[in-house]
Amino acid sequence: MFRLMWMQLQRRLFARALGSLMLAALLAEASSAAQPARPEVLLRFSHVVAPDTPKGRMTSHFKALVEQRSGGRIRVEVYPDSQLYGDDDEMEALRLGAVEMLAPSLSKFGNYGLPEFEVFDLPFLFDDLAQVRRVTQGPVGQQLLERLSRQQMLGLGFLDNGFKQMSARKPLRTLADFKGQRLRVQASRVLVAQMRALGAQPVVLPFGETQQALASGVVDGAENPLSNFLTQGLAPLQPDVTLTRHGYLGYAVVTNPRFWASLSAPDKELLAGALAEALALGNRLSAQMNEQALAQLQRRPGVRIHRLTPLQRAALRSAVQPVHDGFARSVGADLLKDVQQAISPEAPKTQSAD
Ligand code: LMR
């Protein structure tokens, strides 16, 4: 049974890889005037969101820096919007060498044998991005990146998107509002537990299938940072956006260690330097893009933005508290303690959030 599933997956990946090669050949032909005919290194960067998001902007900046600094010797092909691989197969594709870089959300690593990454999903854990960065840009973040090697990934850095808001066809302000709502979540056990604690029915779906599921009514609502909400075209389907700010969404940029080992030392340095700059840009843009998305949604006819009173927020927060206790063991009590220490007001500052 397992062997059959494995063969099917291999076949699926092979077919997609073939498709990607054909797409890559077409793209290469289209841009051949600007590039040397044969790049020495090809780096395919696949992701699931739109180009005009913090992740999309980060990857296109990375591409521009790398190609310019290598004089086109290293070519970066960016495949946004689950064009090449989606949530279901991108990590296998990376392991098999069908792509060289990904930036999955931190919520998606738990399903791949790294439950400690689900610590970022704990609802109401972070108050702001400055707290997140004290974790991701400090020793705890470094430790987490190192743990990726357990699953044959090399972690290169963290990127913020921001805080998630709830959306549906009605406001979601109280537990009574959540009751029975089918709400899409990423494949994270913490997020499933969060929705259950609120009284909703969690539905795990790949990002690339969410819009369709909302359009057809398979699910009633979702949680997203507003830049994703806007660029996925969810506004016409989800007229009520409740600014719950209940959870964080961020990413880890990962590569295949075999690919990385195949690079020369100067190329590794070039790529690492370009990525650090691109991540800094993405992190500068993240809060700004979510604010711009809010401003756009506020102007949009048919979209209603709802805010929580302090009491409503406190009630939601206390309803999901058992999720923290329930997952302390699987994310690791020591890690949770380190994270809490890093975000506490007395913790030494690392990199400031804009
Ligand atoms: C989601 O699935 O909701 C997000 O992980 C999408 C993304 O990459 O921002």
Side-chain angles (χ1 to χ4, degrees):
M1 177 69 179
F2 176 73
R3 197 175 150 69
L4 185 66
M5 280 167 62
W6 176 243
M7 283 169 64
Q8 280 169 346
L9 175 67
Q10 294 270 18
R11 245 180 260 136
R12 201 149 53 93
L13 285 173
F14 179 72
R16 297 194 74 163
L18 202 63
S20 81
L21 281 177
M22 287 163 70
L23 183 58
L26 282 172
L27 286 172
E29 201 178 298
S31 62
S32 58
Q35 311 256 10
R38 228 176 241 282
E40 283 168 26
V41 178
L42 173 64
L43 191 162
R44 289 159 295 184
F45 200 139
S46 170
H47 68 86
V48 300
V49 294
D52 199 18
T53 55
K55 185 158 61 181
R57 297 280 285 277
M58 183 280 287
T59 50
S60 51
H61 191 53
F62 174 65
K63 172 184 168 67
L65 291 176
V66 170
E67 293 185 347
Q68 184 243 321
R69 289 176 187 173
S70 70
R73 204 173 42 73
I74 306 178
R75 182 182 297 170
V76 178
E77 289 172 1
V78 179
Y79 297 93
D81 277 323
S82 312
Q83 265 171 26
L84 202 50
Y85 297 104
D87 289 342
D88 281 345
D89 49 13
E90 64 176 12
M91 299 229 200
E92 278 87 352
L94 185 80
R95 281 184 205 166
L96 295 173
V99 286
E100 285 72 33
M101 261 192 208
L102 304 173
S105 89
L106 301 169
S107 321
K108 290 172 188 166
F109 290 96
N111 226 9
Y112 286 86
L114 293 153
E116 53 270 59
F117 280 75
E118 290 180 348
V119 72
F120 291 98
D121 292 334
L122 289 171
F124 297 100
L125 177 65
F126 300 107
D127 288 332
D128 52 40
L129 287 181
Q131 287 187 345
V132 174
R133 286 181 196 169
R134 293 216 287 277
V135 175
T136 53
Q137 311 297 326
V140 180
Q142 191 51 42
Q143 210 185 81
L144 282 168
L145 290 181
E146 281 160 21
R147 293 194 195 181
L148 288 162
S149 65
R150 257 189 9 235
Q151 296 300 330
Q152 295 90 52
M153 288 181 260
L154 178 67
L156 298 174
F158 289 99
L159 173 70
D160 292 322
N161 185 316
F163 287 88
K164 292 175 289 183
Q165 322 287 1
M166 296 284 182
S167 67
R169 291 174 178 276
K170 64 179 210 173
L172 295 175
R173 285 182 289 226
T174 64
L175 294 180
D177 296 334
F178 277 95
K179 200 165 172 45
Q181 286 280 297
R182 285 161 306 167
L183 302 181
R184 180 264 170 177
V185 287
Q186 305 176 73
S188 150
R189 286 166 316 155
V190 171
L191 296 178
V192 165
Q194 166 203 276
M195 291 307 191
R196 288 212 177 107
L198 292 168
Q201 230 178 289
V203 182
V204 173
L205 278 177
F207 189 66
E209 291 171 25
T210 302
Q211 206 247 20
Q212 187 52 40
L214 287 165
S216 64
V218 169
V219 291
D220 303 309
E223 52 166 18
N224 279 293
L226 294 182
S227 59
N228 277 355
F229 180 85
L230 190 72
T231 53
Q232 288 300 301
L234 302 190
L237 309 170
Q238 298 269 276
D240 291 288
V241 176
T242 309
L243 301 181
T244 46
R245 231 177 168 274
H246 61 281
Y248 166 77
L249 178 79
Y251 312 102
V253 176
V254 290
T255 188
N256 179 320
R258 288 192 311 275
F259 163 73
W260 196 255
S262 74
L263 299 168
S264 69
D267 281 355
K268 280 183 194 155
E269 204 176 309
L270 188 154
L271 288 173
L275 186 65
E277 280 180 46
L279 288 174
L281 174 83
N283 283 333
R284 274 200 304 279
L285 287 177
S286 54
Q288 198 182 315
M289 292 185 92
N290 282 316
E291 273 159 33
Q292 284 165 356
L294 176 60
Q296 280 194 47
L297 290 168
Q298 272 165 335
R299 288 196 301 268
R300 196 148 169 160
V303 174
R304 296 177 291 265
I305 307 285
H306 310 281
R307 289 167 204 276
L308 298 180
T309 64
L311 269 182
Q312 285 170 335
R313 193 172 154 85
L316 296 185
R317 191 178 186 131
S318 102
V320 295
Q321 189 52 43
V323 178
H324 286 240
D325 307 332
F327 282 88
R329 237 180 89 200
S330 77
V331 303
D334 287 347
L335 173 70
L336 192 53
K337 208 170 86 221
D338 290 346
V339 168
Q340 277 159 347
Q341 230 160 44
I343 63 184
S344 79
E346 297 87 49
K349 304 270 178 288
T350 49
Q351 189 182 312
S352 72
D354 301 290

